[in-house]
Protein backbone atom coordinates (compact mmCIF):
# COMPACT_ATOMS: atom_id res chain seq x y z
CA UNK A 1 0.00 0.00 0.00
CA UNK A 2 1.28 3.51 -0.79
CA UNK A 3 2.00 5.98 1.97
CA UNK A 4 -0.79 8.53 2.20
CA UNK A 5 -0.87 11.97 3.73
CA UNK A 6 -3.30 14.86 3.50
CA UNK A 7 -2.35 18.35 2.33
CA UNK A 8 -4.80 21.12 3.23
CA UNK A 9 -4.74 24.12 0.89
CA UNK A 10 -7.63 26.22 2.24
CA UNK A 11 -10.08 26.75 5.10
CA UNK A 12 -13.07 24.95 3.57
CA UNK A 13 -13.50 21.26 4.53
CA UNK A 14 -13.31 20.29 0.85
CA UNK A 15 -10.01 22.09 0.21
CA UNK A 16 -7.60 19.22 0.61
CA UNK A 17 -5.44 16.84 -1.40
CA UNK A 18 -4.65 13.21 -0.60
CA UNK A 19 -0.99 12.63 -1.45
CA UNK A 20 0.07 9.09 -2.32
CA UNK A 21 3.81 8.50 -2.14
CA UNK A 22 5.57 5.56 -3.84
CA UNK A 23 8.14 3.51 -1.94
CA UNK A 24 10.96 4.51 -4.31
CA UNK A 25 11.81 8.05 -5.48
CA UNK A 26 8.90 9.34 -7.56
CA UNK A 27 9.17 9.33 -11.35
CA UNK A 28 6.94 12.37 -11.70
CA UNK A 29 3.97 14.24 -10.29
CA UNK A 30 0.40 13.35 -11.21
CA UNK A 31 -2.59 15.47 -10.22
CA UNK A 32 -5.90 13.61 -10.28
CA UNK A 33 -9.31 15.34 -10.42
CA UNK A 34 -12.58 13.48 -9.89
CA UNK A 35 -15.88 14.12 -11.64
CA UNK A 36 -19.50 14.16 -10.56
CA UNK A 37 -20.84 17.07 -12.63
CA UNK A 38 -19.23 19.53 -10.17
CA UNK A 39 -21.85 18.65 -7.52
CA UNK A 40 -21.63 17.72 -3.86
CA UNK A 41 -22.29 14.07 -3.18
CA UNK A 42 -19.45 12.58 -5.21
CA UNK A 43 -15.88 13.22 -4.18
CA UNK A 44 -12.27 12.16 -4.42
CA UNK A 45 -13.17 8.57 -3.58
CA UNK A 46 -14.23 8.22 -7.24
CA UNK A 47 -10.65 8.53 -8.45
CA UNK A 48 -8.95 6.82 -5.50
CA UNK A 49 -8.55 3.52 -7.43
CA UNK A 50 -6.73 5.11 -10.37
CA UNK A 51 -4.71 7.30 -7.99
CA UNK A 52 -3.51 4.17 -6.19
CA UNK A 53 -2.77 2.48 -9.51
CA UNK A 54 -0.65 5.42 -10.67
CA UNK A 55 1.23 5.45 -7.38
CA UNK A 56 1.97 1.75 -7.82
CA UNK A 57 3.55 2.68 -11.16
CA UNK A 58 6.02 4.88 -9.29
CA UNK A 59 4.43 8.33 -9.41
CA UNK A 60 3.70 10.74 -6.61
CA UNK A 61 -0.04 11.21 -6.95
CA UNK A 62 -2.19 14.06 -5.64
CA UNK A 63 -5.89 13.17 -5.55
CA UNK A 64 -7.58 16.59 -5.39
CA UNK A 65 -10.76 17.44 -3.53
CA UNK A 66 -12.42 20.79 -4.19
CA UNK A 67 -15.51 22.87 -3.43
CA UNK A 68 -18.50 21.75 -5.45
CA UNK A 69 -21.95 23.08 -6.27
CA UNK A 70 -23.99 22.89 -3.07
CA UNK A 71 -20.89 23.24 -0.91
CA UNK A 72 -19.36 26.60 -1.73
CA UNK A 73 -18.29 25.70 -5.27
CA UNK A 74 -19.31 26.65 -8.78
CA UNK A 75 -17.65 28.91 -11.31
CA UNK A 76 -14.98 30.16 -10.76
CA UNK A 77 -14.51 28.90 -7.18
CA UNK A 78 -14.19 25.26 -8.18
CA UNK A 79 -11.48 25.97 -10.74
CA UNK A 80 -9.75 28.35 -8.32
CA UNK A 81 -9.51 25.41 -5.92
CA UNK A 82 -7.91 23.17 -8.54
CA UNK A 83 -5.36 25.88 -9.33
CA UNK A 84 -4.62 26.45 -5.64
CA UNK A 85 -4.31 22.73 -4.98
CA UNK A 86 -1.90 22.26 -7.89
CA UNK A 87 0.24 25.16 -6.67
CA UNK A 88 0.32 23.79 -3.12
CA UNK A 89 1.35 20.33 -4.29
CA UNK A 90 4.08 21.70 -6.52
CA UNK A 91 5.44 23.90 -3.72
CA UNK A 92 5.58 20.87 -1.46
CA UNK A 93 7.43 18.83 -4.12
CA UNK A 94 9.79 21.24 -5.89
CA UNK A 95 12.04 18.45 -7.19
CA UNK A 96 9.25 17.01 -9.34
CA UNK A 97 9.42 19.49 -12.18
CA UNK A 98 7.32 17.57 -14.73
CA UNK A 99 3.62 17.27 -13.96
CA UNK A 100 0.56 15.60 -15.43
CA UNK A 101 -3.09 16.26 -14.64
CA UNK A 102 -5.61 13.44 -15.03
CA UNK A 103 -9.33 14.23 -14.83
CA UNK A 104 -12.56 12.33 -15.39
CA UNK A 105 -15.88 13.84 -16.55
CA UNK A 106 -16.24 17.23 -14.80
CA UNK A 107 -12.74 16.57 -13.51
CA UNK A 108 -11.68 16.24 -17.14
CA UNK A 109 -13.13 19.68 -17.75
CA UNK A 110 -11.07 21.07 -14.87
CA UNK A 111 -7.98 19.20 -16.08
CA UNK A 112 -8.24 20.74 -19.56
CA UNK A 113 -8.63 24.21 -18.06
CA UNK A 114 -5.67 23.59 -15.75
CA UNK A 115 -3.52 22.55 -18.70
CA UNK A 116 -4.48 25.64 -20.69
CA UNK A 117 -3.67 27.81 -17.66
CA UNK A 118 -0.22 26.24 -17.26
CA UNK A 119 -0.93 24.42 -13.99
CA UNK A 120 0.41 21.19 -15.52
CA UNK A 121 2.67 20.20 -18.40
CA UNK A 122 0.46 17.39 -19.77
CA UNK A 123 -3.16 16.33 -19.37
CA UNK A 124 -5.23 13.18 -19.65
CA UNK A 125 -8.94 13.96 -19.98
CA UNK A 126 -11.24 10.97 -19.54
CA UNK A 127 -14.71 11.63 -21.02
CA UNK A 128 -14.40 15.33 -20.22
CA UNK A 129 -16.94 18.11 -20.38
CA UNK A 130 -14.98 20.00 -23.01
CA UNK A 131 -17.55 22.52 -24.23
CA UNK A 132 -19.64 24.33 -21.59
CA UNK A 133 -21.85 26.04 -24.16
CA UNK A 134 -22.74 22.67 -25.70
CA UNK A 135 -23.28 21.18 -22.24
CA UNK A 136 -25.78 23.96 -21.56
CA UNK A 137 -27.58 23.44 -24.86
CA UNK A 138 -27.80 19.68 -24.41
CA UNK A 139 -28.67 19.91 -20.70
CA UNK A 140 -25.97 17.44 -19.69
CA UNK A 141 -26.45 16.05 -16.21
CA UNK A 142 -29.95 17.49 -15.90
CA UNK A 143 -28.79 21.09 -15.77
CA UNK A 144 -25.35 20.51 -14.24
CA UNK A 145 -23.60 23.16 -16.33
CA UNK A 146 -26.22 25.79 -15.48
CA UNK A 147 -25.86 24.97 -11.79
CA UNK A 148 -22.07 25.15 -12.10
CA UNK A 149 -22.19 28.58 -13.75
CA UNK A 150 -24.67 29.71 -11.13
CA UNK A 151 -26.66 32.23 -13.18
CA UNK A 152 -29.43 31.99 -15.75
CA UNK A 153 -28.30 35.09 -17.62
CA UNK A 154 -24.56 34.45 -17.58
CA UNK A 155 -22.72 36.29 -20.36
CA UNK A 156 -21.18 34.60 -23.41
CA UNK A 157 -17.74 35.78 -22.23
CA UNK A 158 -18.19 34.00 -18.91
CA UNK A 159 -19.32 30.82 -20.66
CA UNK A 160 -16.24 31.02 -22.90
CA UNK A 161 -13.92 31.53 -19.93
CA UNK A 162 -15.22 28.29 -18.38
CA UNK A 163 -15.03 26.26 -21.60
CA UNK A 164 -11.87 24.26 -22.51
CA UNK A 165 -12.64 24.23 -26.23
CA UNK A 166 -12.40 28.02 -26.18
CA UNK A 167 -8.91 27.82 -24.62
CA UNK A 168 -7.32 25.96 -27.50
CA UNK A 169 -4.30 27.38 -29.25
CA UNK A 170 -1.75 26.50 -26.58
CA UNK A 171 1.06 24.04 -27.29
CA UNK A 172 0.81 21.67 -24.32
CA UNK A 173 0.36 17.99 -25.09
CA UNK A 174 -2.77 16.19 -23.96
CA UNK A 175 -4.97 13.23 -24.72
CA UNK A 176 -8.72 12.67 -24.59
CA UNK A 177 -10.16 9.22 -23.92
CA UNK A 178 -13.83 8.42 -24.50
CA UNK A 179 -16.16 5.44 -24.71
CA UNK A 180 -18.74 5.22 -27.47
CA UNK A 181 -21.31 3.80 -25.02
CA UNK A 182 -21.08 6.86 -22.77
CA UNK A 183 -24.58 8.22 -22.05
CA UNK A 184 -23.42 10.85 -19.53
CA UNK A 185 -21.23 12.79 -21.93
CA UNK A 186 -21.66 11.74 -25.57
CA UNK A 187 -18.52 10.75 -27.42
CA UNK A 188 -19.19 13.46 -30.02
CA UNK A 189 -18.06 16.07 -27.48
CA UNK A 190 -14.51 14.71 -27.45
CA UNK A 191 -14.50 14.13 -31.20
CA UNK A 192 -15.37 17.78 -31.78
CA UNK A 193 -12.81 19.03 -29.24
CA UNK A 194 -9.98 17.01 -30.78
CA UNK A 195 -10.87 18.21 -34.29
CA UNK A 196 -10.87 21.81 -33.05
CA UNK A 197 -7.54 21.31 -31.29
CA UNK A 198 -5.87 19.90 -34.37
CA UNK A 199 -7.23 22.71 -36.53
CA UNK A 200 -5.48 25.15 -34.16
CA UNK A 201 -2.31 23.00 -34.03
CA UNK A 202 -2.77 22.25 -30.33
CA UNK A 203 -1.21 18.82 -29.70
CA UNK A 204 -4.14 16.53 -28.83
CA UNK A 205 -4.20 12.74 -29.09
CA UNK A 206 -7.38 10.72 -28.93
CA UNK A 207 -8.36 7.19 -27.89
CA UNK A 208 -11.90 5.97 -28.51
CA UNK A 209 -13.31 2.66 -27.26
CA UNK A 210 -16.42 1.19 -28.87
CA UNK A 211 -17.33 -1.11 -25.97
CA UNK A 212 -16.85 1.20 -22.97
CA UNK A 213 -19.10 3.58 -21.06
CA UNK A 214 -18.55 6.62 -18.84
CA UNK A 215 -17.27 4.96 -15.67
CA UNK A 216 -15.26 2.22 -17.38
CA UNK A 217 -12.56 4.84 -17.96
CA UNK A 218 -11.72 5.04 -14.24
CA UNK A 219 -11.65 1.27 -13.79
CA UNK A 220 -7.96 0.38 -13.33
CA UNK A 221 -8.54 -2.91 -15.16
CA UNK A 222 -10.07 -1.33 -18.30
CA UNK A 223 -8.44 -1.10 -21.70
CA UNK A 224 -9.04 2.66 -21.71
CA UNK A 225 -7.17 3.18 -18.46
CA UNK A 226 -4.30 1.03 -19.75
CA UNK A 227 -4.11 3.23 -22.87
CA UNK A 228 -4.10 6.38 -20.72
CA UNK A 229 -1.22 5.06 -18.64
CA UNK A 230 0.73 4.08 -21.72
CA UNK A 231 0.30 7.62 -23.04
CA UNK A 232 1.66 9.03 -19.77
CA UNK A 233 4.67 6.74 -19.95
CA UNK A 234 5.34 7.70 -23.56
CA UNK A 235 5.31 11.40 -22.72
CA UNK A 236 7.56 10.85 -19.72
CA UNK A 237 10.15 8.95 -21.75
CA UNK A 238 9.97 11.24 -24.78
CA UNK A 239 10.76 14.41 -22.86
Amino acid sequence: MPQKRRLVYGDHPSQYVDILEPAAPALGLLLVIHGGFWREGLGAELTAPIAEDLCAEGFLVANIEYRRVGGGGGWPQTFDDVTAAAEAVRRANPDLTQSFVVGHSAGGHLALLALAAGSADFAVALAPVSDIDRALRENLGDGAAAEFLGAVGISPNEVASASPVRKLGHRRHHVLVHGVRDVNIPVEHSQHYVSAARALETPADYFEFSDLDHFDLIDPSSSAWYAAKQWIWYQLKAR
Side-chain angles (χ1 to χ4, degrees):
M1 291 292 291
Q3 291 187 337
K4 183 185 292 186
R5 59 186 172 87
R6 181 157 290 185
L7 173 65
V8 175
Y9 64 89
D11 297 330
H12 192 278
S14 293
Q15 291 175 317
Y16 67 85
V17 181
D18 284 331
I19 307 291
L20 286 71
E21 300 179 359
L27 301 171
L29 172 62
L30 278 159
L31 309 167
V32 177
I33 312 173
H34 71 83
F37 276 128
W38 311 283
R39 293 170 172 141
E40 282 279 282
L42 295 174
E45 71 279 357
L46 277 175
T47 43
I50 62 170
E52 292 174 2
D53 188 54
L54 289 167
C55 184
E57 296 273 344
F59 296 96
L60 188 145
V61 183
N63 195 19
I64 297 173
E65 190 54 278
Y66 52 86
R67 289 174 293 172
R68 285 145 286 159
V69 174
W75 179 261
Q77 292 86 356
T78 294
F79 182 58
D80 290 342
D81 278 6
V82 168
T83 301
E87 290 176 354
V89 171
R90 295 185 81 153
R91 282 197 305 270
N93 300 276
D95 296 337
L96 299 177
T97 57
Q98 199 166 61
S99 63
F100 294 76
V101 59
V102 179
H104 173 245
S105 193
H109 161 260
L110 298 168
L112 292 174
L113 288 181
L115 181 74
S119 293
D121 302 304
F122 306 93
V124 177
L126 307 167
V129 182
S130 56
D131 186 337
I132 292 293
D133 186 59
R134 184 170 182 172
L136 286 167
R137 294 196 310 270
E138 297 181 5
N139 197 37
L140 292 191
D142 293 325
E147 293 174 13
F148 175 64
L149 293 173
V152 175
I154 193 165
S155 73
N157 286 341
E158 289 171 300
V159 173
S161 69
S163 193
V165 76
R166 301 292 291 273
K167 304 291 185 181
L168 290 169
H170 61 80
R171 294 295 179 263
R172 298 181 185 90
H173 289 255
H174 58 308
V175 62
L176 276 71
V177 184
H178 219 120
V180 173
R181 296 175 63 186
D182 194 328
V183 297
N184 298 76
I185 301 169
V187 69
E188 289 82 7
H189 284 240
S190 285
Q191 292 170 346
H192 171 72
Y193 176 94
V194 172
S195 294
R198 291 172 177 171
L200 292 170
E201 298 184 351
T202 295
D205 294 319
Y206 181 54
F207 299 138
E208 184 176 292
F209 294 85
S210 61
D211 58 337
L212 300 183
D213 64 22
H214 192 66
F215 290 101
D216 288 333
L217 307 188
I218 51 172
D219 178 349
S221 67
S222 74
S223 55
W225 180 241
Y226 177 80
K229 285 198 301 181
Q230 291 298 108
W231 187 91
I232 291 170
W233 276 110
Y234 177 81
Q235 300 302 326
L236 192 68
K237 293 174 180 178
R239 302 291 184 274

